[in-house]
Amino acid sequence: MAAILFLILVFSPFVCPWVVVGTAVQLVWRARHGQPPNGWTSPDAMSCALVVQLAGAAAVGAYAWGVMSGFYILDPDQMCAASGADGDHVVTRMTLPVSVQCVTDQGVGTELVPVWVNPVVLAGLAVCVLAVWAGASAAIRRRADRACGEVEVGGGELRSGEVG
């Protein structure tokens, strides 16, 4: 199990950008071709699911990038020297917010994680939660509309159930 998690961390920074780009293309396509002629409507559950996928891939990719930025096969002294820090070092790690620091005996720390990682991780998690909430409410709203007898007519407008 640990080997699988390690492989996910190793390959996520390379796979997640492709997932983000592919999902963004799908969202743009849905926005261009699914737009009703009368203007803006609330997103449907599928669009929210795509936003969850996009934000989740961005958060996982950034998290993996941050965690792996301080991972070297070298010992801590060589790792910290490779990042440009001087002196003897102790490596400290934090899970969230992601942090890998080389700390000298004098207490001076050098951060190895890029500065953009934590904002992307936290924003991705927040967007995931909001999109799950919006998707669930859209699915509930659609089910309630169907129960009331309203059906979608081409173009996205709703009409009460009419017998033809």
Side-chain angles (χ1 to χ4, degrees):
M1 184 65 172
I4 292 172
L5 291 176
F6 178 73
L7 288 175
I8 289 171
L9 278 177
V10 168
F11 291 114
S12 288
F14 304 109
V15 174
C16 286
W18 292 103
V19 173
V20 168
V21 169
T23 307
V25 167
Q26 284 181 321
L27 280 170
V28 168
W29 185 85
R30 285 181 63 82
R32 299 277 294 162
H33 296 294
Q35 187 75 9
N38 59 354
W40 185 85
T41 61
S42 60
D44 62 340
M46 185 59 176
S47 294
C48 291
L50 287 172
V51 171
V52 168
Q53 180 178 341
L54 178 103
V60 167
Y63 182 80
W65 186 276
V67 168
M68 296 307 288
S69 65
F71 177 78
Y72 294 104
I73 298 173
L74 309 173
D75 62 35
D77 290 335
Q78 291 174 337
M79 176 181 67
C80 294
S83 66
D86 296 327
D88 293 332
H89 300 88
V90 174
V91 177
T92 61
R93 298 179 186 274
M94 287 180 47
T95 303
L96 199 59
V98 182
S99 175
V100 179
Q101 288 189 349
C102 294
V103 182
T104 63
D105 293 336
Q106 293 80 24
V108 178
T110 303
E111 183 65 48
L112 300 178
V113 176
V115 83
W116 57 268
V117 167
N118 287 313
V120 170
V121 170
L122 295 177
L125 291 175
V127 170
C128 274
V129 169
L130 290 174
V132 166
W133 174 78
S137 63
I140 291 168
R141 187 173 50 248
R142 182 177 171 114
R143 181 173 288 182
D145 289 346
R146 283 186 180 172
C148 290
E150 294 179 342
V151 295
E152 277 191 34
V153 182
E157 61 189 61
L158 292 175
R159 292 192 182 162
S160 294
E162 299 174 352
V163 178

